[in-house]
Amino acid sequence: MTDSILNRRGFLMSAAAGAAGLSFGGLANAAAAPPRKDPAPPVKPDRGPLPVMAVRQVQTDTLDIGYHETGPADGHPVILLHGFPYDIHSYVEVAPLLAAQGYRVIVPHLRGHGSTRFLDAATPRSGQQAAIGQDLLDLMDALHIPEAVLAGYDWGGRAACVVAALRPSRVVGLVSVNSYLIQDIAKAANPAPAKVEAGFWYQFYFLTERGRAGLTANRDDIARIMWEGNSPTWRFDGPTFSRAAKAFDNPDYVEVVLHSYRHRLGHAPGFAEYGKQEAILATGPVIKVPAITLDGIDDGVIRATDGSASAARFGGPRVHRQIPGVGHNLPQEAPQAFADAVAELARNGKWRT
């Protein structure tokens, strides 16, 4: 015990001697300096509540569709279509930019999202490409829109491409992020480069029943991880994500999403009512309407290209643009660039009505 005490005393004496070896100037400066305080975090200005896009409802034969509308009722119509896992607020800045130019702007919730509901419990909860394309045509009919400029990304871009290919008389122009989005399901088993496959982890997860349970229980967490991976340079905040995530609390969200990915990867059949459309889509039909295609250079899902690989799929006038500093959710990340593309087609389009 005595040895232990002596050892500790020796240590303390050595430490004191070491402290005495410091320069007097250094000690004096330390004594004179006020106690250090961590800097206060910067005060962020209160931006107030995030804008929320008001929603109306309209019925088709299949759906009660929730949609936002802004701009003059007699303006040339433009329809803006969101992707998965996102909602109509991808266009929260694009819509007013276009409305201010005199366009009638329609932004619908896709099936399985937001306030869009199936009218019949027996209707298959299909997520296949022909289904979301038909929903778009049905919406145009319900709103008495004979023709429009269609614009979208991800699922919404696919719906717009489907309608542009199958019913070009209804489309004045097309804005599509990531170019030609009609799926070639016959080639679904062909592998992509490993880095691309890694970004599609959720698609393979959704093929399993574990994926069904996971999407049911953790839909918000899955969506947030996808947002971060899809748009690695986009610094969205919690309220921005939460505003969109409310759209995932739809009773048909899980089934529609699961069928979409299972069908496109050849793990689920399509439904008979869409058989004719899917047969045409399987041929890779050429889109003949005027088109502007956009790629975000920082897209974490689909790498930006110069557009040449898909050039043969566009038979009308087509311009391809790369948008720097932007990921997969291009209209929300670069609203001015997206709105400019839509307005360019609407302004120069050959409107028949």
Side-chain angles (χ1 to χ4, degrees):
M1 181 70 174
T2 301
D3 291 341
S4 176
I5 292 172
L6 290 173
N7 288 339
R8 280 185 292 176
R9 284 178 179 171
F11 171 79
L12 292 172
M13 291 174 69
S14 298
L22 292 172
S23 70
F24 287 109
L27 287 174
N29 289 339
R36 179 179 177 181
K37 295 182 179 179
D38 291 331
V43 177
K44 294 182 179 180
D46 183 6
R47 66 180 179 184
L50 286 177
V52 175
M53 299 170 78
V55 175
R56 306 176 182 182
Q57 298 292 134
V58 66
Q59 286 193 1
T60 68
D61 289 343
T62 303
L63 299 171
D64 183 19
I65 298 177
Y67 69 100
H68 174 76
E69 180 169 350
T70 187
D74 60 351
H76 284 314
V78 299
I79 303 178
L80 312 176
L81 299 137
H82 69 84
F84 165 83
Y86 303 92
D87 84 322
I88 60 174
H89 291 94
S90 288
Y91 297 102
V92 69
E93 294 182 56
V94 174
L97 288 172
L98 292 169
Q101 298 178 59
Y103 298 110
R104 180 188 180 189
V105 184
I106 309 293
V107 192
H109 277 294
L110 299 185
R111 57 170 54 199
H113 294 73
S115 60
T116 295
R117 298 288 189 274
F118 287 84
L119 298 179
D120 189 341
T123 301
R125 271 42 177 176
S126 172
Q128 66 196 89
Q129 58 184 346
I132 59 175
Q134 187 62 51
D135 290 346
L136 175 53
L137 282 169
D138 291 346
L139 173 68
M140 294 175 70
D141 290 343
L143 294 177
H144 308 291
I145 296 174
E147 57 184 353
V149 170
L150 307 181
Y153 70 101
D154 198 84
W155 285 27
R158 181 165 297 110
C161 285
V162 166
V163 173
L166 297 184
R167 298 291 297 276
S169 64
R170 306 292 297 271
V171 183
V172 172
L174 167 73
V175 176
S176 178
V177 177
N178 302 130
S179 296
Y180 187 86
L181 293 177
I182 294 174
Q183 296 157 347
D184 187 351
I185 296 173
K187 295 181 179 178
N190 295 349
K195 191 171 184 179
V196 175
E197 297 279 47
F200 290 153
W201 64 269
Y202 56 93
Q203 298 191 16
F204 310 126
Y205 183 50
F206 294 158
L207 299 183
T208 69
E209 287 309 294
R210 179 168 176 160
R212 180 193 298 276
L215 185 60
T216 301
N218 305 312
R219 62 190 73 186
D220 287 7
D221 291 339
I222 289 171
R224 183 184 285 273
I225 291 169
M226 290 180 64
W227 278 35
E228 292 168 350
N230 292 354
S231 301
T233 58
W234 182 32
R235 300 293 178 255
F236 63 88
D237 58 17
T240 297
F241 175 79
S242 296
R243 178 180 59 186
K246 292 177 182 177
F248 313 150
D249 290 331
N250 182 298
D252 304 304
Y253 178 80
V254 172
E255 293 306 314
V256 169
V257 169
L258 292 180
H259 186 259
S260 173
Y261 290 103
R262 292 179 180 189
H263 178 261
R264 72 177 65 184
L265 292 177
H267 284 253
F271 292 97
E273 55 264 47
Y274 305 113
K276 291 182 179 179
Q277 296 99 314
E278 289 289 355
I280 298 173
L281 296 174
T283 68
V286 172
I287 292 173
K288 298 179 180 179
V289 305
I292 296 175
T293 55
L294 305 172
D295 279 348
I297 289 179
D298 295 320
D299 192 321
V301 184
I302 301 175
R303 187 170 64 180
T305 73
D306 63 3
S308 59
S310 59
R313 299 298 187 186
F314 293 92
R318 183 254 189 140
V319 175
H320 183 74
R321 296 171 184 159
Q322 293 185 346
I323 311 300
V326 173
H328 196 61
N329 184 9
L330 196 148
Q332 195 164 0
E333 298 175 60
Q336 188 67 60
F338 195 92
D340 287 347
V342 175
E344 182 177 335
L345 289 173
R347 185 172 57 250
N348 299 323
K350 296 180 180 179
W351 296 88
R352 295 175 294 276
T353 57

